[in-house]
């Protein structure tokens, strides 16, 4: 079952015309769409409703042009990351599965999805969440038909964060929570990343004291987002599988810090595209579909030995600084500002850096 991939610009926060256009020209049908990963232009915070607006617009197109019912469409994983700071263009990457196959001699993009068991407010930031996420990642691997964790190159997740109502619910049932509401986005992301890392054998199961504290523990393929719109971990797992069919391959690397443009090119090489020793955007020949990366301000307040002020800035939150900077580096690397850059990268790549994933058109 081959995967088709399309990167679609969002002209407005509720624009899904690009999705309708892809369906109309026969690139894929509405009923073949299995996942969407997108960037919206909101503030990227707890109250960023642009994610919900984009989600509603895309699901409405699938209802209009397809035959699936409301419940089936609601179950399609759509991971929307808010905040297009700097040069980042709002866009969506749409994944569709058709009935084509390919030779076993060629390894091509495969996708699996899964939903975890219900996550209680008191699970966030604790081993129970790590275990539930790890179980869901293993289920997504099985759904993708991937047996070897080394063939997994990208695990995009969406998990719940805390709200005041959720905290009250936990207290009413006699439980406490691991963090404050406004810390919960980073804590949810970090705990989820450890679940990914455990499932793929990147780290051993951590103790409670290591979660969101021991930053030497990380996944090199996890990209974790959180929001108010769900109560489970939503998993979209991408890797390569022999015989999967299609034109696309995926690879990954890590950016060691916010300036590590070589990390971007290393992910493209890992996907299978040959590049010169010192590549430029034009060397990609239009074969990079998209790059996906996580980033975070280095908590040590430095970058390559130079002092950084983003963690001290009272006017602009650090995550907007970091996202804009890394987005600029990635856009320069591939020659396209429509790149997926998400913050809160705790346990996702090395401290001050983050995972970088590339999908390329490998040809027939």
């Amino acid at each position: 079952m081959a995967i088709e991939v399309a990167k679609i610009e969002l002209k407005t926060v509720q624009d899904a015309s690009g999705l309708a256009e892809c369906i109309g020209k026969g690139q894929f049908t509405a009923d073949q769409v299995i996942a969407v990963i997108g960037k919206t232009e909101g503030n990227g915070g707890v109250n960023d409703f642009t994610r919900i607006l984009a989600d509603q617009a895309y699901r409405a197109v699938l209802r209009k042009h397809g035959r699936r019912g409301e419940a089936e469409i609601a179950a399609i994983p759509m991971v929307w990351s808010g905040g297009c700071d700097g040069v980042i263009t709002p866009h969506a990457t749409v994944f569709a599965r058709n009935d084509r196959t390919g030779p076993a001699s060629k390894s091509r993009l495969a996708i699996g999805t899964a939903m975890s068991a219900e996550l209680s407010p008191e699970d966030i930031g604790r081993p129970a969440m790590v275990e539930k996420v790890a179980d869901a990642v293993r289920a997504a691997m099985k759904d993708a038909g991937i047996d070897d964790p080394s063939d997994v190159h990208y695990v995009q997740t969406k998990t719940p964060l805390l709200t005041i109502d959720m905290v009250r619910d936990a207290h009413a049932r006699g439980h406490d929570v691991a963090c404050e509401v406004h810390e919960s986005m980073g804590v949810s992301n970090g705990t989820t990343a450890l679940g990914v890392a455990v499932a793929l054998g990147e780290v051993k199961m951590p103790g409670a004291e290591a979660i969101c504290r021991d930053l030497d523990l990380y996944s090199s393929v996890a990209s974790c987002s959180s929001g108010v719109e769900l109560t489970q971990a939503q998993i979209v797992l991408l890797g390569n599988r022999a015989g999967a069919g299609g034109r696309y391959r995926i690879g990954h690397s890590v950016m060691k810090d916010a300036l590590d443009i070589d990390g971007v090119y290393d992910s493209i090489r890992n996907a299978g595209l040959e590049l010169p020793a010192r590549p430029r955007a034009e060397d990609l020949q239009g074969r990079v579909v998209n790059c996906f990366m996580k980033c975070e301000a280095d908590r040590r307040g430095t970058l390559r030995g130079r002092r950084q002020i983003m963690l001290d800035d009272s006017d602009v939150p650090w995550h907007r600084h970091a996202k804009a900077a890394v987005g600029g580096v990635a856009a320069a690397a591939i020659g396209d500002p429509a790149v997926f850059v998400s913050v809160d990268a705790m346990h996702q790549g090395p401290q001050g850096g983050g995972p970088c994933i590339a999908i390329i058109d490998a040809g027939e």
Side-chain angles (χ1 to χ4, degrees):
M1 304 288 283
I3 301 297
E4 181 66 31
V5 189
K7 182 160 68 174
I8 300 168
E9 182 176 334
L10 303 185
K11 297 179 176 64
T12 69
V13 71
Q14 291 180 285
D15 172 45
S17 62
L19 175 60
E21 183 179 338
C22 288
I23 294 168
K25 69 183 182 182
Q27 186 172 354
F28 47 77
T29 71
D31 292 338
Q32 289 174 336
V33 173
I34 57 170
V36 178
I37 299 173
K39 289 295 301 180
T40 65
E41 59 206 72
N43 61 22
V46 173
N47 64 337
D48 183 352
F49 300 110
T50 65
R51 298 180 297 230
I52 297 174
L53 294 173
D55 189 274
Q56 290 174 341
Y58 264 61
R59 294 186 196 276
V61 167
L62 297 184
R63 284 194 299 273
K64 179 179 180 180
H65 295 278
R67 297 181 178 179
R68 287 183 286 190
E70 194 81 24
E72 290 177 287
I73 290 173
I76 298 168
M78 292 192 185
V79 179
W80 297 98
S81 171
C84 288
D85 304 276
V87 300
I88 299 171
T89 297
H91 70 281
T93 305
V94 177
F95 300 89
R97 181 183 285 132
N98 56 47
D99 58 3
R100 300 177 195 134
T101 57
S105 59
K106 292 183 178 180
S107 185
R108 292 291 186 265
L109 179 65
I111 296 180
T113 62
M115 297 291 282
S116 77
E118 286 286 322
L119 290 164
S120 302
E122 60 269 23
D123 291 338
I124 295 173
R126 292 182 169 139
M129 184 174 186
V130 176
E131 292 170 348
K132 290 178 181 180
V133 170
D135 287 343
V137 171
R138 295 183 189 105
M141 277 185 67
K142 184 176 180 180
D143 185 57
I146 296 175
D147 299 318
D148 188 346
S150 67
D151 289 327
V152 176
H153 295 278
Y154 183 21
V155 182
Q156 177 66 59
T157 69
K158 194 67 178 278
T159 50
L161 45 72
L162 293 177
T163 65
I164 293 296
D165 287 341
M166 292 172 69
V167 173
R168 287 174 180 160
D169 171 67
H171 290 167
R173 292 181 289 105
H175 298 282
D176 64 356
V177 294
C179 61
E180 299 294 331
V181 167
H182 287 288
E183 299 172 335
S184 67
M185 180 176 287
V187 170
S188 180
N189 292 351
T191 312
T192 301
L194 288 176
V196 175
V198 167
L200 300 180
E202 295 178 284
V203 302
K204 295 180 179 179
M205 180 66 195
E209 72 285 350
I211 297 173
C212 300
R213 293 181 180 86
D214 185 354
L215 300 184
D216 289 332
L217 302 177
Y218 64 81
S219 171
S220 61
V221 300
S223 177
C224 305
S225 295
S226 50
V228 298
E229 59 267 39
L230 71 177
T231 58
Q232 298 165 272
Q234 180 175 263
I235 311 293
V236 182
L237 180 144
L238 296 87
N240 297 314
R241 190 185 77 232
R247 302 178 56 88
Y248 304 96
R249 279 185 55 83
I250 188 168
H252 78 277
S253 183
V254 295
M255 294 179 72
K256 298 180 180 66
D257 59 33
L259 299 179
D260 187 15
I261 195 169
D262 290 333
V264 179
Y265 290 127
D266 285 343
S267 70
I268 295 168
R269 288 190 184 95
N270 187 248
L273 191 61
E274 292 186 9
L275 296 176
R278 299 300 302 167
R280 297 169 60 90
E282 49 265 36
D283 296 318
L284 307 180
Q285 300 176 347
R287 292 177 61 188
V288 174
V289 179
N290 207 358
C291 284
F292 307 80
M293 56 211 68
K294 292 290 291 189
C295 64
E296 190 159 82
D298 195 313
R299 294 171 186 233
R300 295 163 292 197
T302 61
L303 176 58
R304 301 195 179 184
R306 297 291 192 182
R307 185 170 72 94
Q308 297 286 286
I309 58 86
M310 63 180 79
L311 291 170
D312 296 319
D313 192 337
S314 298
D315 297 313
V316 181
W318 68 263
H319 61 85
R320 310 203 78 155
H321 284 283
K323 196 183 303 176
V326 173
V329 170
I334 70 170
D336 183 357
V339 290
F340 183 94
V341 182
S342 175
V343 292
D344 275 322
M346 192 186 305
H347 295 306
Q348 297 153 76
Q351 185 174 181
C356 182
I357 296 96
I359 295 177
I360 67 164
D361 186 339
E364 298 294 346

